[in-house]
Amino acid sequence: MGEIVLGMSVAHTPRIAYPEKAGPVFQDLIAAMRRAGETLRSIKPDAVVLASAHWVTSFNLYADSSARHRGTLTAMECPDLLRAIPYDFAGDPDLAAAIAEHGRSHGLPVVACAEPTYVLDYGTVIALRYLLADSGIPVVPVSSCLASNVDESAKFGQSIRAAVIAGKKRVVMISSAAFAHNLVRGPEKWPTPEEQAIDKHLIDLLLPGGRLATAKALLPGFAARAKYEMGGRPLATLLGALTDDYRGELYGYGPSSGSGNPVMVFRADPRSMAA
């Protein structure tokens, strides 16, 4: 039986793509991402599944079933900041196919697709450069769908968990997305005090002593009030893939152009596993 051994909510702001060029306000976020990468690689998972806020699809949900993700990224959102970035990550066609199969069995329009001309988005590439480095751990990128609401995105996460459990692999599930995301000009700017309070409320629910089930129930409201990135869909996919006994650890929280970017790692509560 397979297992989701770790969940992660991570950052991908372009300002952390080149650590040596990042300003002081981003250093805590960079340190948190580096620590998250060390944590992930230390457990040696068989694969990771990453839901990015920047792989935006219209009607279908997708799982990238490429055997190799190799290409050069220039981000359409900021081609001057993120240009000609080479990437090369292993893929997992079998896991992607299982995700699509189980998604359809849950009544979702999930398609496994291996298109050699497709270029990975920067929410995927920046996060994986920190998390996977040169580890060779395979990754299955999955999309965020405009036709899905937060509830359907959570259902997609549940189907991903079902696909993992049906196999034999130890998998890390990742959301690459900001929380508050009411963007403004000025990379060093934080979310408003109200938006930061909403983020803190949700983070507190995800920490030990909180209730992940309550966080799941309140996410649609939080996402609407603080304009969560991609409407909270990638985060909902992550939380849907985790059972309610998972608890988060906050590695860091930083700004970028008015957005709030937590880096969190989720593990199953060992007390519930012992029970």
Side-chain angles (χ1 to χ4, degrees):
M1 185 173 73
E3 178 187 5
I4 293 181
V5 292
L6 210 65
M8 288 186 163
S9 174
V10 301
H12 62 246
T13 169
R15 303 295 171 173
I16 67 171
Y18 302 102
E20 68 280 2
K21 298 179 182 179
V25 74
F26 300 107
Q27 294 308 309
D28 288 347
L29 194 56
I30 288 169
M33 286 295 292
R34 285 174 169 159
R35 182 184 172 197
E38 292 169 357
T39 298
L40 189 156
R41 296 189 297 273
S42 71
I43 66 171
K44 297 183 168 75
D46 297 308
V48 305
V49 177
L50 186 144
S52 169
H54 288 271
W55 187 9
V56 180
T57 55
S58 299
F59 302 113
N60 291 324
L61 290 153
Y62 288 87
D64 192 327
S65 57
S66 302
R68 196 90 202 170
H69 309 286
R70 184 184 291 115
T72 303
L73 166 69
T74 294
M76 67 177 69
E77 299 94 331
C78 46
D80 56 332
L81 292 178
L82 301 177
R83 61 176 300 276
I85 299 174
Y87 61 84
D88 187 0
F89 304 109
D92 190 329
D94 291 340
L95 179 57
I99 288 171
E101 178 184 353
H102 281 79
R104 291 192 296 271
S105 74
H106 281 65
L108 302 173
V110 186
V111 177
C113 182
E115 172 49 58
T117 63
Y118 174 69
V119 177
L120 293 181
D121 65 279
Y122 83 78
T124 298
V125 171
I126 291 178
L128 292 181
R129 279 164 49 131
Y130 278 96
L131 299 176
L132 299 189
D134 298 322
S135 64
I137 298 168
V139 57
V140 176
V142 297
S143 73
S144 299
C145 180
L146 291 171
S148 299
N149 58 17
V150 173
D151 290 339
E152 184 170 280
S153 299
K155 188 176 180 181
F156 184 35
Q158 294 165 11
S159 73
I160 291 172
R161 182 174 74 236
V164 171
I165 291 172
K168 298 180 180 179
K169 294 176 179 177
R170 300 168 62 253
V171 174
V172 175
M173 182 69 211
I174 302 167
S175 165
S176 178
F179 281 23
H181 198 252
N182 189 19
L183 296 182
V184 297
R185 290 190 173 112
E188 75 290 346
K189 292 184 178 177
W190 289 80
T192 67
E194 179 185 2
E195 290 163 350
Q196 289 185 60
I198 292 170
D199 282 359
K200 183 180 185 303
H201 189 178
L202 181 58
I203 290 168
D204 285 346
L205 288 170
L206 298 171
L207 295 174
R211 291 185 56 85
L212 193 137
T214 303
K216 292 177 181 179
L218 295 179
L219 176 58
F222 287 173
R225 289 170 59 197
K227 297 184 179 178
Y228 275 23
E229 188 166 20
M230 194 51 191
R233 292 173 179 86
L235 179 58
T237 302
L238 166 65
L239 297 184
L242 305 179
T243 52
D244 292 344
D245 58 323
Y246 280 74
R247 295 293 178 265
E249 180 180 358
L250 182 64
Y251 281 14
Y253 177 89
S256 184
S257 302
S259 66
N261 298 271
V263 178
M264 299 189 73
V265 174
F266 298 84
R267 298 177 176 87
D269 188 331
R271 292 172 297 180
S272 66
M273 296 174 67

